[in-house]
Amino acid sequence: MKKNSLLAWVLGGSLLCAWPLTGLATGPDYAREAKWADEVVPGLVVGDPVYLQTPRGHHKFLTLFTPAAGSKQAVIVVHGMGIHPDWGMVGTLRTELSDRGYTTLSIQMPILAAEAKSEDYPPTFPEAAERLGEAVAFLKAKGYGELAVVSHSMGSRMSLEYFKGTPDPVVKSWASLGPSFKGYESVKLPILDLYGDNDLPAVLGNAGTRKGSLANPASKQVVVAKTDHFFTGHEGAMVGAVADFLKDSLK
């Protein structure tokens, strides 16, 4: 998927949309998820496909499990709107964090039709929180005793829904990349709020209120210079900032 098309979706529109979107938010597009899986799994070089099931038992979703030898710390990687768990910078995060000693589980989040806008997504948030819960349970069953969530864009909005509930105590920290919301509400865990200095208007405009909402003294806000919402050309700085935060917040 080209980044200019994805950016149009993030901004709330579509380059090709010429009809109303009524009814698009009735539920996740499982057929589109299956198409992503059919594209991703055959070409997978790093990690293994693992399918987890939502609690209500009506849908199995793809995850990419990449163990780091000897590690008892793991990271759940949560992608943004309408994409898959090995897309672009998400694939970079899941593979390079594994290279740095953290087992990663990159999970397919609920997606809607390609024409959907960001405001169509909130009805998918309850299932998104369920998927995060299943990812946590999977890693706990594998013996991982300290977990973190690393999310991007819409994935950060979905992760906030999980943290607003009753997150498992094994989840120790959250790296939130390119978030557009105003604040972290009642989340008490250490949080990394990371974005580019040429990020989307909502990300930049709400940066001050997000920083003011960081409750844990180990939380911090970091800006990566000269980059955009996807950290284009500065993926190394993105991974480095996340890895430094994980080193401090996972002991």
Side-chain angles (χ1 to χ4, degrees):
M1 177 172 294
K2 295 182 179 179
K3 288 182 179 176
N4 61 346
S5 297
L6 181 60
L7 182 57
W9 299 345
V10 173
L11 289 173
S14 171
L15 297 178
L16 301 176
C17 182
W19 56 85
L21 298 181
T22 303
L24 283 178
T26 56
D29 189 337
Y30 297 139
R32 189 169 177 226
E33 282 189 33
K35 290 179 180 179
W36 277 134
D38 288 343
E39 291 184 18
V40 171
V41 171
L44 198 61
V45 176
V46 179
D48 299 306
V50 174
Y51 286 87
L52 301 181
Q53 192 157 329
T54 53
R56 284 169 282 188
H58 54 68
H59 179 62
K60 291 183 178 180
F61 60 96
L62 175 66
T63 75
L64 304 179
F65 181 52
T66 311
S71 177
K72 292 300 180 182
Q73 300 174 332
V75 174
I76 299 169
V77 181
V78 184
H79 65 73
M81 187 172 74
I83 54 175
H84 60 72
D86 199 36
W87 180 89
M89 55 169 285
V90 178
T92 298
L93 284 164
R94 77 170 189 89
T95 56
E96 293 199 13
L97 289 176
S98 178
D99 288 342
R100 294 181 183 230
Y102 300 98
T103 287
T104 63
L105 184 70
S106 187
I107 66 177
Q108 179 67 59
M109 300 306 284
I111 56 175
L112 299 176
E115 299 82 14
K117 299 178 181 179
S118 60
E119 57 263 33
D120 295 315
Y121 268 78
T124 70
F125 289 1
E127 182 170 327
E130 289 182 351
R131 295 192 190 194
L132 274 161
E134 290 303 302
V136 170
F138 171 81
L139 292 169
K140 284 179 64 177
K142 290 285 186 181
Y144 294 97
E146 290 192 333
L147 309 183
V149 173
V150 177
S151 60
H152 177 247
S153 196
M154 180 63 73
S156 288
R157 291 179 63 188
M158 292 177 167
S159 298
L160 181 62
E161 185 76 9
Y162 171 75
F163 284 112
K164 284 163 59 179
T166 307
D168 194 295
V170 76
V171 181
K172 304 298 184 182
S173 62
W174 176 20
S176 174
L177 282 58
S180 61
F181 47 75
K182 293 182 178 181
Y184 292 96
E185 302 183 19
S186 59
V187 183
K188 304 301 183 185
L189 296 176
I191 295 171
L192 169 66
D193 184 275
L194 181 69
Y195 61 96
D197 67 354
N198 191 31
D199 217 307
L200 301 179
V203 177
L204 298 174
N206 291 324
T209 56
R210 289 197 313 274
K211 184 175 183 179
S213 74
L214 295 172
N216 192 296
S219 296
K220 58 183 177 179
Q221 187 175 74
V222 176
V223 184
V224 178
K226 300 179 180 180
T227 194
D228 58 18
H229 190 58
F230 306 102
F231 301 90
T232 306
H234 296 269
E235 292 86 354
M238 171 191 70
V239 173
V242 172
D244 287 346
F245 172 72
L246 295 175
K247 183 178 178 181
D248 291 337
S249 62
L250 298 180
K251 302 295 185 180

